Amino acid sequence: MTDTPLLHVDMDAFYASVALRERPDLVDQPVVVGGSGRGVVLAANYVARRYGIRSALPMTRARRLCPHVVVLAPDYDTFTSVSASVMETFRDVTPVVEAMSLDEAFLDVRGATRRLGSPREIAERLRATIHDEQGITCSVGVAASVSVAKVASRRAKPDGVVVVSPAEVTSFLHPLDVGELYGVGEKTQALLHRFGLLTVGDVAHTPLQTLQRALGDHLGRHLHHLAWGTDRSDLSPTAGPHEPERSMGADETFARDTDDRDVIVRELLRLAARVTGRMRAAGVAGRTITLKVRFADFTTITRSRTMPEATDVTVEVHRAVTHLYDALGLQRVRVRLVGVRVEGLVLRATVHHQLALGEPEHGWADADRAVDRATRRFGAKAVRPASLV
DNA sequence: TCTGGGGTCCTAGGACCC
DNA sequence: TCTGGGGTCCTAGGACCC
């Protein structure tokens, strides 16, 4: 029996660590993984962090902070395969693994302690295995609840383990800044600071009703739980049957802002094709179609329309977002990004398409299926709508 | 040449129904 | 004829996570 059954395992600077396996000559240099142009830093090694470089930092600022930083392009195929191997290592320990992303997961090791030892011993064994097999390091937080384990792994970085027993939870959490809590971002942190609530302990000792008045019922209650480490402790294993995604979308920032409707409508077609292609591969369809537009000044709006029936058809999604775009009535407004998202996804098998008499539409679904087959055989570049050629 | 792309969840107002 | 109350759906925006 253990009173700290949850492990949060988080790879250290994952993309950068994986990229550096191919370039051991660069390990002592400041290195970031990221795109070129208008991108942001996806991961920075610990040398680069000494210059103040962090993930999500605009690439231009990273270069300004450290002009000799080495920039490596992301290789998602490799990241995905390393991630899959790491997740397998987790599943050798316990079937209860909730993957949060490519580089982190929660594990419930309750059922493994008899076989493998204490949670701390399991954490150290995992770290050694991942280091030997993948050549990268990770950090582990061990606790009784999801949020405490998450905060603990962050405190363990890099390349360490932090165990927080139930008796230690308040002395561990309460001195921390409120911004350290999992789910408290920049805005909420600033709001809490304005109320004079600087530490987690300050929040913990604020009456629940006061928190709820300031932050709303839900967030107030949530924060109260986070501050006492009484958030959820049950995981939803990622493997095996799980609910389909609730939405799928794609967006793209233009290399340069544009006010050209043709360029924008063509980009919307590419995005609609990408999204519906993924939907068809996953066997889902959705009713609510959302257009996202970000302007040159970074303000962002969304416009959505809910259809009578769920669809996964490229031209239907494209037509919907094009109508939404035209309805904005933009005149010479510079657009930075457009996005397409489909929400309210259901399994396509549950959608019974009402065939209207003489409906011309069913031909488009057939066309999509033909495109999907060709894409599987010849690759994504081989088949695309005529207007994108 | 500041600020990606993939998601989830919550809020709040209005419509509409009972 | 003077103001209810609950529930659901839709839309838009915003916060947060990696």
Side-chain angles (χ1 to χ4, degrees):
Chain A
M1 280 299 100
T2 172
D3 55 6
T4 53
L6 299 190
L7 271 56
H8 180 255
V9 187
D10 199 338
M11 303 300 129
D12 299 326
F14 181 59
Y15 293 172
S17 305
V18 172
L20 281 170
R21 299 192 313 182
E22 308 293 317
R23 295 296 304 273
D25 54 306
L26 294 176
V27 286
D28 296 322
Q29 310 273 323
V31 172
V32 300
V33 172
S36 50
R38 304 178 103 172
V40 297
V41 173
L42 296 171
N45 73 348
Y46 283 83
V47 183
R49 291 184 198 199
R50 289 211 290 271
Y51 293 86
I53 297 175
R54 295 281 180 277
S55 52
L57 202 69
M59 211 55 131
T60 48
R61 285 188 54 196
R63 287 185 195 278
R64 222 174 302 142
L65 286 167
C66 177
H68 60 287
V69 68
V70 178
V71 179
L72 300 177
D75 170 7
Y76 287 101
D77 290 345
T78 305
F79 299 153
T80 302
S81 91
V82 173
S83 174
S85 303
V86 169
M87 295 295 166
E88 272 316 298
T89 302
F90 296 160
R91 292 200 177 89
D92 289 340
V93 168
T94 171
V96 190
V97 176
E98 182 174 332
M100 301 301 287
S101 65
L102 286 184
D103 76 324
E104 62 174 286
F106 290 98
L107 283 64
D108 187 334
V109 299
R110 223 176 302 243
T113 52
R114 190 183 298 269
R115 186 166 49 99
L116 299 173
S118 70
R120 182 190 291 277
E121 289 166 330
I122 294 172
E124 289 296 4
R125 170 195 294 253
L126 278 171
R127 282 165 24 76
T129 304
I130 290 166
H131 184 262
D132 291 350
E133 293 181 351
Q134 304 299 333
I136 58 177
T137 64
C138 64
S139 301
V140 185
V142 185
S145 80
V146 159
S147 153
V148 177
K150 171 79 190 174
V151 175
S153 74
R154 202 153 44 196
R155 308 295 289 187
K157 280 184 172 296
D159 199 12
V161 176
V162 167
V163 181
V164 182
S165 73
E168 299 165 324
V169 164
T170 55
S171 59
F172 170 72
L173 285 180
H174 286 191
L176 302 179
D177 187 282
V178 287
E180 296 275 323
L181 291 175
Y182 186 35
V184 176
E186 213 180 328
K187 305 287 178 170
T188 308
Q189 180 190 34
L191 186 64
L192 291 167
H193 281 189
R194 252 178 279 134
F195 281 111
L197 306 178
L198 304 182
T199 67
V200 176
D202 293 339
V203 171
H205 292 104
T206 300
L208 177 58
Q209 287 75 8
T210 309
L211 286 178
Q212 288 180 312
R213 257 200 312 278
L215 302 160
D217 273 12
H218 185 93
L219 185 56
R221 180 175 303 279
H222 183 58
L223 232 55
H224 186 259
H225 280 296
L226 291 181
W228 288 103
T230 52
D231 57 294
R232 81 182 166 104
S233 56
D234 55 312
L235 304 184
S236 338
T238 314
H242 65 285
E243 302 109 61
E245 323 289 321
R246 297 182 185 283
S247 72
M248 288 192 190
D251 43 53
E252 185 126 318
T253 298
F254 294 110
R256 348 179 21 167
D257 300 344
T258 181
D259 59 2
D260 183 337
R261 179 182 180 278
D262 289 348
V263 170
I264 288 165
V265 169
R266 221 178 304 142
E267 184 60 31
L268 289 174
L269 177 54
R270 273 184 42 187
L271 295 170
R274 200 186 298 170
V275 172
T276 52
R278 278 164 47 206
M279 290 171 64
R280 292 191 296 272
V284 296
R287 282 178 63 215
T288 302
I289 297 168
T290 302
L291 164 76
K292 174 156 91 173
V293 179
R294 174 168 293 152
F295 300 107
D297 68 357
F298 222 71
T299 59
T300 307
I301 62 169
T302 61
R303 291 293 180 270
S304 65
R305 154 123 204 252
T306 299
M307 320 291 259
E309 273 178 45
T311 182
D312 63 2
V313 177
T314 305
V315 295
E316 290 180 6
V317 172
H318 180 239
R319 188 162 45 206
V321 290
T322 301
H323 281 152
L324 290 166
Y325 176 79
D326 285 334
L328 292 173
L330 302 181
Q331 314 253 359
R332 288 189 298 282
V333 181
R334 302 194 72 75
V335 171
R336 177 187 179 90
L337 163 150
V338 287
V340 175
R341 177 163 295 278
V342 182
E343 295 165 81
L345 300 186
V346 294
L347 291 175
R348 206 189 39 193
T350 67
V351 179
H352 37 283
H353 184 62
Q354 313 275 328
L355 268 179
L357 235 43
E359 174 149 35
E361 293 295 318
H362 74 280
W364 290 114
D366 293 342
D368 281 345
R369 280 195 291 278
V371 168
D372 293 342
R373 279 194 299 275
T375 302
R376 278 196 295 275
R377 286 180 61 183
F378 305 115
K381 298 255 157 58
V383 184
R384 57 199 149 163
S387 72
L388 295 182
V389 173

